[in-house]
Amino acid sequence: MTTTATQGPQGHPDPADRRGAGPRPAAPAHPGPAPREHASPGAALAVLPHVLRTALAWTDAHRAEFALPDDVLDPRTQVNATLKPLGELAQLCSTVRTATAPGTPEHEVAGALVTYAWQEVSQGQLLLELLRAEPFAAYPYEIYAAFAGYGLRHEGFEALARPLTATRAWAHTEQHANRQLGLINSERRVGVVTHADAGAVLSRTWLGGLSEPWMFEGPSGYALTHTVFHLTDWGRMPDRVPEKTDAYLRTWLPAWVDGCLESGQWDLTGELLAVAASLPGPAPVELLDAVWPVLADVQHATGCVPETGVPVREDAPDPYPFIDCYHSTLVTAFAAALSLRSLTDEVTPGRERHTP
């Protein structure tokens, strides 16, 4: 944890949800970090600050890789390789910024990265041009909403978006239920009336239907994580998760995470950890204590995290191609910030826990 109508490299839609639905977790072909065993109390808090700082440091050092090409408005330009990564940078770093304490290095770096992304879209003007060119597409609106939720607005964009989002076509765009939740959350962020009821849409998702937990695999895993991200506004409002959904996730997240660790699915592991840290009420401390040390061991010394496979242990300035680690590194920072907040914040019962 912004969208496109196209599919990602492995079939997963959404610019802020870039990573594709990988295969069902299976035994790894080569040895990697061992799956989690018994939790050591305080183990998550022992590694999380370093994981967060180094993941953000790697992202900051590679910010130029997120830059948009000069021909970004050309219809032939690949959205998934240009606007999608930038939208993810804006979305995940804005959450890191709001989940961390002012004055801390991670808070400042995350804010600088959001500012950089806003500059790349010309303070919203580029998104307005995209909306004019593709009024039927949701992705300019959802990328804009990532900024709007952070307080960065463009009057011209919103003036055009208002009549477009009031059309019958907008309300009846055919898409998967978890994607529709993403659009509803974007509408909430921009501050317009939502085109559908979030609870009704949630009931049509894999997660909302409380699907048989043994049916979990790559596509359902990413659909599940983004259902939670859209429902909770990327972890800002955990109390939007219904009680039965919360109970279901607390019961089955440990088994799903074990499968991801065993098969080296580090990107999906990070997303599941972000889900765990987005639940209402007490943090699932045992799960976080058990899994974060494993993911910290996967993280390279430079701060990047591979999406899948055997981690590189050798010293190298760029151990993985950018396209194979940027999303999992952003997700690691996002999940680490939410986990730190979940483990350290007091939660007031009966109120939405959120950061302004």
Side-chain angles (χ1 to χ4, degrees), residues 147-158:
F147 294 108
Y150 186 73
L152 298 172
R153 318 288 290 233
H154 186 281
E155 184 177 346
F157 182 96
E158 295 190 24

Side-chain angles (χ1 to χ4, degrees), residues 87-336:
E88 293 165 345
L89 180 72
Q91 176 57 74
L92 298 182
C93 285
S94 68
T95 303
V96 172
R97 168 85 171 184
T98 55
T100 52
T104 59
E106 51 269 27
H107 185 82
E108 300 306 319
V109 172
L113 288 168
V114 178
T115 299
Y116 170 79
W118 186 236
Q119 292 169 345
E120 282 295 302
V121 297
S122 301
Q123 291 76 43
Q125 183 63 32
L126 176 65
L127 299 175
L128 172 59
E129 294 179 40
L130 285 169
L131 191 65
R132 285 173 175 159
E134 299 184 72
F136 47 82
Y139 76 88
Y141 189 86
E142 293 190 81
I143 294 174
Y144 177 77
F147 294 108
Y150 186 73
L152 298 172
R153 318 288 290 233
H154 186 281
E155 184 177 346
F157 182 96
E158 295 190 24
L160 178 58
R162 277 192 293 272
L164 289 176
T165 58
T167 61
R168 293 188 300 275
W170 182 269
H172 293 88
T173 299
E174 297 184 26
Q175 55 191 185
H176 292 298
N178 80 87
R179 293 297 318 115
Q180 192 175 6
L181 277 178
L183 200 54
I184 290 170
N185 189 52
S186 294
E187 291 165 338
R188 283 171 166 169
R189 287 183 148 196
V190 175
V192 301
V193 176
T194 59
H195 75 278
D197 176 69
V201 176
L202 174 63
S203 68
R204 295 191 285 107
T205 65
W206 191 95
L207 173 61
L210 305 182
S211 299
E212 292 81 1
W214 54 88
M215 299 296 284
F216 177 94
E217 35 77 60
S220 59
Y222 280 103
L224 175 157
T225 59
H226 287 85
T227 293
V228 174
F229 299 156
H230 299 320
L231 186 66
T232 65
D233 193 17
W234 297 87
R236 288 178 170 91
M237 297 187 175
D239 286 351
R240 285 180 177 169
V241 178
E243 185 177 346
K244 64 179 181 180
T245 307
D246 177 33
Y248 174 80
L249 288 168
R250 288 179 185 273
T251 299
W252 295 110
L253 276 171
W256 296 334
V257 170
D258 273 347
C260 289
L261 293 179
E262 185 179 2
S263 57
Q265 300 285 329
W266 315 123
D267 186 64
L268 186 50
T269 296
E271 293 206 3
L272 291 172
L273 285 170
V275 166
S278 298
L279 298 178
V285 177
E286 184 174 356
L287 175 64
L288 299 179
D289 278 342
V291 180
W292 270 113
V294 180
L295 197 57
D297 188 50
V298 170
Q299 186 179 37
H300 190 264
T302 59
C304 62
V305 177
E307 288 188 351
T308 61
V310 180
V312 171
R313 301 299 184 189
E314 295 79 12
D315 290 336
D318 288 299
Y320 311 103
F322 176 80
I323 198 68
D324 292 336
C325 69
Y326 89 83
H327 184 267
S328 40
T329 303
L330 278 173
V331 163
T332 297
F334 165 63

